[in-house]
């Protein structure tokens, strides 16, 4: 891609920038932990966490599998060039065609819905090939780890429930099919705490299910959801130690592959979002800092607090400290407040606010609202490369079909 003498000071804001050294460090630490504790392992990068093509190529070149959760993501993995059997196909948004193709190609396919059981039955009936599948387990993690899961007492909506017998029913349906083997358990869970306790519990559950149902399994897919790139949080080494301690009570490393599906732990910490102050609007109620950044790019679900940021003031002399500044975005939504700065030097037009560790569930959840996707750069050994162009009106009309049909 295009390479120029860019510096972080002359790039047009807003933009994302990937620190390749940090990305490489996260990957190295994950691989080292797997080698140490469970060297029979597969890493599937979670596409949904950030599906920037440059990142997907990066992970492919690192030998990762693609962890995809829809037919669109599955097609994207193929378009990026992931080998046809280096995919982990999860989720409830598979299409029948891609489900069948993934099974024909010997991908890791984890069944997550009743309709997939029906598709499997049809596939079994018309074939002599033996298909291997895994199944997504739904178990009451909140009961084992109170106040730690995202859904709390409402429980997860994914997979087949262990406690009420739905899992057993699904397992029985799968093993009754002569051309299908149940070879894996998928146990991804979304948690608030990402604690070690969560992963010990998941690993224990894998052992319990294997024992209770007398399953002969080729893999345990523990999912993603780890912390990464944060010094005061559990490290990959800590997670893998916990997982391996529990799993080895029922599984042998040589016989059972451990699958991990990291997303946030790899891509959050290396990515920053740089925005500039474009105006200041003082009202009787607030001092609003208007920026060319927005929550729609970095906090589209408005569920994060901006904990990691720094500010580059243009004026080197000390600014007056003011008690409250509302940093807000470019959209016309009143709620587009990125953060409130308390007792900090007054911001002026041209100052930059740089949000750090913001690479996960930011770009991939950004809507095309008012302004289109910003440019993305990567920085390696001081050299900056553009890895994704800013979207313009051209990308917005590229697939409307009206031009091709001569309608306009
Ligand atoms: C099935 C599955 N695997 C992996 C992930 C990645 O999780 P994270 O980005 O928290 O590591 C998710 C995220 O929701 C998921 O649903």
């Amino acid at each position: 891609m295009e390479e120029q003498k860019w510096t972080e000071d002359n790039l047009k804001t807003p933009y994302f920038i990937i620190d390749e050294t940090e990305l490489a460090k996260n990957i190295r630490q994950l691989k080292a932990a797997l080698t140490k504790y469970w060297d029979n392992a597969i890493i599937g990068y979670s596409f949904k966490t950030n599906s920037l093509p440059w990142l997907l190529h990066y992970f492919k070149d690192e030998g990762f599998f693609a962890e995809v959760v829809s037919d669109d993501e599955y097609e994207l993995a193929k378009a990026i060039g992931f080998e046809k059997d280096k995919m982990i196909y999860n989720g409830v948004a598979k299409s029948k065609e891609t489900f069948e193709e993934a099974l024909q190609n010997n991908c890791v396919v984890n069944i997550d819905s009743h309709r997939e059981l029906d598709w499997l039955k049809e596939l079994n009936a018309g074939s002599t090939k033996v298909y291997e599948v895994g199944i997504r387990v739904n178990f009451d993690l909140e009961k084992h780890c109170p106040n730690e899961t995202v859904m709390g007492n409402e429980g997860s909506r994914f997979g087949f429930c262990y406690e009420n017998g739905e899992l057993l029913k699904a397992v029985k349906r799968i093993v009754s099919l002569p051309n299908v083997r149940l070879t894996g358990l998928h146990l991804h869970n979304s948690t608030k705490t990402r604690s070690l306790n969560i992963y010990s519990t998941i690993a224990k559950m894998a052992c319990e299910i294997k024992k209770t149902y007398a399953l002969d399994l080729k893999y345990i897919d523990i999912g993603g959801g780890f912390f990464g790139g944060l010094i005061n949080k559990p490290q990959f080494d800590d997670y893998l130690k916990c997982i391996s301690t529990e799993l080895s009570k029922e599984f042998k490393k040589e016989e059972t592959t451990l699958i991990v599906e990291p997303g946030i732990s790899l891509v959050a910490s290396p990515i920053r979002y740089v925005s500039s102050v474009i105006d200041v609007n003082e009202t009787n109620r607030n001092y609003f800092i208007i920026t060319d950044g927005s929550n729609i790019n970095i906090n589209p679900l408005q569920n994060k607090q901006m904990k990691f940021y720094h500010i580059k003031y243009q004026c080197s002399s000390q600014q007056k400290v003011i008690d409250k500044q509302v940093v807000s975005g470019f959209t016309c939504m009143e709620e587009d407040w990125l953060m409130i700065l308390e007792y900090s030097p007054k911001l002026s037009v041209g100052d930059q606010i740089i949000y750090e560790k913001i690479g996960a569930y930011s770009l991939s959840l950004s809507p095309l609202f008012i302004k289109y996707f910003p440019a993305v750069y990567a920085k390696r050994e001081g050299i900056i490369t553009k890895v994704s162009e800013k979207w313009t009106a051209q990308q917005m009309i590229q697939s409307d079909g009206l031009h091709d049909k001569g309608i306009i």
Side-chain angles (χ1 to χ4, degrees):
M1 275 227 183
E2 198 181 344
E3 215 165 288
Q4 287 178 15
K5 283 256 174 293
W6 281 310
T7 69
E8 282 187 61
D9 293 327
N10 68 19
L11 293 177
K12 188 167 164 20
T13 58
Y15 63 87
F16 283 96
I17 184 158
I18 307 167
D19 177 348
E20 235 187 287
T21 311
E22 170 79 9
L23 177 62
K25 188 185 86 196
N26 289 346
I27 294 173
R28 211 170 41 244
Q29 288 178 348
L30 172 59
K31 286 185 173 176
L34 286 166
T35 307
K36 187 163 157 194
Y37 294 107
W38 206 282
D39 58 1
N40 177 10
I42 289 172
I43 312 174
Y45 171 65
S46 156
F47 268 39
K48 71 194 91 51
T49 309
N50 188 328
S51 47
L52 184 78
W54 182 88
L55 277 174
L56 304 182
H57 279 286
Y58 198 98
F59 289 119
K60 178 175 75 62
D61 294 346
E62 286 288 334
F64 284 30
F65 280 40
E67 190 269 323
V68 297
V69 290
S70 70
D71 48 352
D72 288 339
E73 284 193 347
Y74 177 88
E75 295 297 347
L76 178 60
K78 286 198 322 191
I80 293 290
F82 279 86
E83 283 174 41
K84 61 182 178 23
D85 59 346
K86 294 241 176 345
M87 303 208 208
I88 301 162
Y89 203 4
N90 290 330
V92 294
K94 302 173 183 93
S95 66
K96 190 174 183 211
E97 294 70 29
T98 53
F99 173 80
E100 289 181 1
E101 185 182 295
L103 284 171
Q104 300 286 6
N105 290 341
N106 304 316
C107 292
V108 175
V109 178
N110 291 315
I111 307 288
D112 204 328
S113 62
H114 292 95
R115 66 181 187 152
E116 290 166 62
L117 292 174
D118 296 336
W119 296 341
L120 209 51
K121 194 173 165 197
E122 281 176 41
L123 202 59
N124 168 75
S127 162
T128 48
K129 179 178 161 69
V130 172
Y131 299 102
E132 296 189 347
V133 295
I135 188 161
R136 174 110 180 229
V137 176
N138 177 309
F139 76 98
D140 200 340
L141 183 57
E142 182 67 18
K143 197 171 115 200
H144 297 270
C145 307
N147 301 318
E148 293 205 52
T149 66
V150 166
M151 292 312 293
N153 288 332
E154 299 297 339
S156 167
R157 68 190 175 97
F158 299 113
F160 297 87
C161 179
Y162 175 56
E163 286 84 0
N164 73 358
E166 284 295 307
L167 180 65
L168 183 58
K169 271 196 237 160
V171 168
K172 282 186 174 162
R173 273 193 77 183
I174 295 171
V175 299
S176 73
L177 301 171
N179 291 329
V180 181
R181 305 277 176 272
L182 178 63
T183 53
L185 297 179
H186 180 215
L187 297 117
H188 173 84
N189 271 275
S190 298
T191 71
K192 293 181 285 197
T193 56
R194 303 176 188 273
S195 72
L196 298 176
N197 185 29
I198 290 287
Y199 292 90
S200 296
T201 308
I202 294 177
K204 275 187 200 149
M205 187 49 68
C207 295
E208 181 175 325
I209 292 170
K210 181 213 175 220
K211 222 162 57 180
T212 316
Y213 297 166
L215 299 176
D216 184 13
L217 298 172
K218 288 191 178 170
Y219 70 87
I220 293 299
D221 184 340
I222 215 92
F226 312 102
F227 278 118
L230 296 170
I231 40 173
N232 51 354
K233 298 289 182 192
Q235 306 296 308
F236 287 128
D237 197 275
D238 305 317
Y239 286 118
L240 268 304
K241 188 174 174 192
C242 272
I243 293 167
S244 143
T245 303
E246 291 306 328
L247 278 190
S248 25
K249 294 179 183 163
E250 201 60 45
F251 298 93
K252 289 200 176 73
K253 288 177 194 163
E254 315 74 68
E255 291 168 6
T256 312
T257 304
L258 173 64
I259 299 180
V260 290
E261 302 173 344
I264 200 167
S265 52
L266 297 176
V267 298
S269 70
I271 301 182
R272 298 192 294 278
Y273 177 74
V274 184
S275 63
S276 302
V277 177
I278 53 172
D279 201 5
V280 174
N281 191 12
E282 195 169 355
T283 70
N284 62 329
R285 292 185 184 264
N286 265 312
Y287 193 79
F288 290 105
I289 304 299
I290 315 291
T291 70
D292 61 6
S294 170
N295 265 329
I296 66 160
N297 286 157
I298 56 172
N299 189 12
L301 303 181
Q302 307 236 34
N303 58 357
K304 292 182 206 162
Q305 267 198 322
M306 292 303 143
K307 287 194 220 126
F308 307 103
Y309 64 87
H310 69 275
I311 297 175
K312 274 193 201 162
Y313 292 92
Q314 272 194 323
C315 179
S316 51
S317 60
Q318 199 64 42
Q319 299 297 302
K320 187 178 154 214
V321 169
I322 56 172
D323 57 1
K324 182 181 175 196
Q325 300 177 83
V326 178
V327 177
S328 54
F330 62 71
T331 68
C332 57
M333 310 272 288
E334 285 287 11
E335 312 84 315
D336 193 3
W337 290 23
L338 289 111
M339 59 182 176
I340 296 172
L341 293 176
E342 286 176 346
Y343 305 105
S344 53
K346 205 168 171 178
L347 281 155
S348 331
V349 172
D351 292 341
Q352 286 195 342
I353 305 174
I354 296 126
Y355 302 89
E356 292 145 4
K357 303 186 190 298
I358 206 77
Y361 306 102
S362 44
L363 202 48
S364 59
L365 280 170
S366 288
L368 290 163
F369 180 60
I370 299 183
K371 277 174 78 70
Y372 310 138
F373 300 140
V376 186
Y377 299 87
K379 188 172 183 180
R380 178 191 201 164
E381 290 165 6
I383 300 191
I384 295 177
T385 315
K386 189 185 278 183
V387 298
S388 183
E389 289 287 349
K390 180 195 169 345
W391 271 40
T392 65
Q394 286 312 306
Q395 279 78 36
M396 291 300 283
I397 60 170
Q398 69 192 337
S399 55
D400 64 2
L402 302 177
H403 290 83
D404 305 343
K405 292 184 195 121
I407 295 170
I408 34 178

